[in-house]
Amino acid sequence: MNKFRQIKQVINGIPSSDGDGVQLTRLIGSAYLEMLDPFLLFDAFGSDKPQDYIGGFPAHPHRGFETVSYMLAGKMRHKDSVGNEGIIEAGGVQWMTAGKGIIHSEMPEQENGLLSGFQLWVNLPASEKMVEPKYQEKSAEDIPIEYRDNVNSSSGVQLKIIAGKTINGTIGVVENALIDPIYWDISMPGKNEFVDIIPEGYNAFVHVIEGEIEISEANISKGKLAVLDDGNQVKIKSISDSRLLLIAGKPLNEPVARGGPFVMNTREEINQAFSDYRSGRFA
Ligand code: FE
């Protein structure tokens, strides 16, 4: 039976600053929505004023979860304590498993112009929190694009499939068996409609990048995040030229203890992370 997901909650982001003064909008990980299991944080950043981003995110540690960076415009150079270094360019994604511990930096590779993108934190289950750090890094050319057609013509709806599988069988470039994520960047020209499957029980949200969309007769405008309730399908209508992210994943249903850049299951494990970091036991 088809059950279209309705909107459970619409969230306005909170203007925040992170790293060395990077201006961003926090949409998950704030007082309005502390987390949406397995998603711990979701930030959107975008500015053409260098002072909003030039400080970047200097070296800092992580343990116990994954960080996902998706760039829309501009370039960021990342570098870490296990010897990886590279540049994420527009349309590229970096899915980093911090695991037992990594120290990394993400710095703008530009002194002016537009820099915009997203950062998502994905929790790891207890059994995987202390794995070796690893990366899945993909450029825009690596990410499959699916074009939707109506009966008579091309609808013009376009999906960039970073992770997950669409109803038509397009498979994303990032693999993650733990939460089986959906991460789609969807463009909808004009008034349009799009339907797909989100497995029942998975937590899901949409973030409107441009334009205005409608889900279950509620409108969501640019910049907002809508948490979806449960169901097995999603139907999204665009009111005007729109672009949005649709993100979903299997909840872990485990206790969450957060301490700054560490996310574990218990307070003791957080204390251990701080002590390991202070004594130089991170890579
Ligand atoms: Fe980081």
Side-chain angles (χ1 to χ4, degrees), residues 50-72:
Q51 68 268 27
D52 288 346
Y53 62 73
I54 206 75
F57 302 90
H60 59 277
H62 291 300
R63 172 181 281 180
F65 61 100
E66 302 182 290
T67 67
V68 182
S69 302
Y70 180 47
M71 295 294 292
L72 293 187

Side-chain angles (χ1 to χ4, degrees), residues 155-195:
S155 71
V157 173
Q158 175 195 295
L159 294 87
K160 294 183 182 173
I161 311 297
I162 293 160
K165 186 180 173 185
T166 70
I167 202 166
N168 296 328
T170 308
I171 296 174
V173 73
V174 169
E175 288 170 21
N176 180 320
L178 303 169
I179 65 145
D180 187 29
I182 284 171
Y183 194 131
W184 300 343
D185 174 353
I186 306 170
S187 297
M188 305 180 73
K191 282 190 192 301
N192 238 309
E193 190 176 299
F194 149 86
V195 173

Side-chain angles (χ1 to χ4, degrees), residues 124-180:
L124 284 167
S127 59
E128 303 291 319
K129 282 189 179 293
M130 296 300 280
V131 296
E132 293 295 326
K134 61 171 189 272
Y135 284 95
Q136 297 183 68
E137 195 165 320
K138 308 291 175 185
S139 65
E141 299 77 59
D142 299 329
I143 297 171
I145 299 179
E146 184 179 306
Y147 300 92
R148 291 290 166 101
D149 292 320
N150 291 330
V151 181
N152 297 317
S153 66
S154 164
S155 71
V157 173
Q158 175 195 295
L159 294 87
K160 294 183 182 173
I161 311 297
I162 293 160
K165 186 180 173 185
T166 70
I167 202 166
N168 296 328
T170 308
I171 296 174
V173 73
V174 169
E175 288 170 21
N176 180 320
L178 303 169
I179 65 145
D180 187 29

Side-chain angles (χ1 to χ4, degrees), residues 13 33 38 72 99 103 124 152 170 180 199 223 245 251 254 257 266 276 281:
L33 182 61
L72 293 187
I103 301 169
L124 284 167
N152 297 317
T170 308
D180 187 29
L245 297 181
E254 287 186 3
T266 67
D276 286 352
R281 281 196 290 266

Side-chain angles (χ1 to χ4, degrees), residues 3-257:
K3 184 176 182 279
F4 287 106
R5 287 172 179 252
Q6 315 275 308
I7 291 178
K8 192 172 168 184
Q9 189 183 2
V10 176
I11 287 157
N12 293 309
I14 296 179
S16 309
S17 166
D18 210 337
D20 185 7
V22 177
Q23 301 304 303
L24 50 84
T25 303
R26 183 144 294 162
L27 288 140
I28 298 179
S30 79
Y32 291 120
L33 182 61
E34 272 182 42
M35 65 177 285
L36 182 68
D37 187 14
F39 307 114
L40 301 159
L41 174 143
F42 181 67
D43 286 340
F45 54 92
S47 177
D48 55 7
K49 299 188 198 75
Q51 68 268 27
D52 288 346
Y53 62 73
I54 206 75
F57 302 90
H60 59 277
H62 291 300
R63 172 181 281 180
F65 61 100
E66 302 182 290
T67 67
V68 182
S69 302
Y70 180 47
M71 295 294 292
L72 293 187
K75 295 179 187 183
M76 292 278 261
R77 176 181 293 272
H78 71 87
K79 203 170 176 174
D80 71 37
S81 53
V82 295
N84 297 296
E85 183 170 1
I87 294 172
I88 317 175
E89 301 198 22
V93 65
Q94 185 203 57
W95 197 294
M96 181 184 88
T97 307
K100 68 178 188 178
I102 198 163
I103 301 169
H104 77 153
S105 62
E106 292 149 300
M107 301 300 287
E109 187 74 2
Q110 62 191 53
E111 284 168 2
N112 48 55
L114 179 64
L115 184 85
S116 76
F118 304 95
Q119 170 129 155
L120 177 71
W121 286 12
V122 179
N123 206 2
L124 284 167
S127 59
E128 303 291 319
K129 282 189 179 293
M130 296 300 280
V131 296
E132 293 295 326
K134 61 171 189 272
Y135 284 95
Q136 297 183 68
E137 195 165 320
K138 308 291 175 185
S139 65
E141 299 77 59
D142 299 329
I143 297 171
I145 299 179
E146 184 179 306
Y147 300 92
R148 291 290 166 101
D149 292 320
N150 291 330
V151 181
N152 297 317
S153 66
S154 164
S155 71
V157 173
Q158 175 195 295
L159 294 87
K160 294 183 182 173
I161 311 297
I162 293 160
K165 186 180 173 185
T166 70
I167 202 166
N168 296 328
T170 308
I171 296 174
V173 73
V174 169
E175 288 170 21
N176 180 320
L178 303 169
I179 65 145
D180 187 29
I182 284 171
Y183 194 131
W184 300 343
D185 174 353
I186 306 170
S187 297
M188 305 180 73
K191 282 190 192 301
N192 238 309
E193 190 176 299
F194 149 86
V195 173
D196 216 299
I197 293 169
I198 302 175
E200 199 141 15
Y202 285 30
N203 281 327
F205 68 90
V206 300
H207 169 62
V208 180
I209 302 171
E210 283 298 337
E212 185 169 17
I213 61 164
E214 185 192 311
I215 299 174
S216 60
E217 284 163 18
N219 287 21
I220 312 145
S221 53
K222 177 178 171 167
K224 295 188 182 187
L225 182 148
V227 178
L228 306 183
D229 72 359
D230 208 3
N232 56 14
Q233 295 206 36
V234 64
K235 183 189 284 179
I236 298 174
K237 292 178 181 175
S238 54
I239 312 281
S240 57
D241 287 356
S242 298
R243 185 174 183 186
L244 64 136
L245 297 181
L246 171 63
I247 296 177
K250 204 190 292 180
L252 299 176
N253 296 312
E254 287 186 3
V256 174

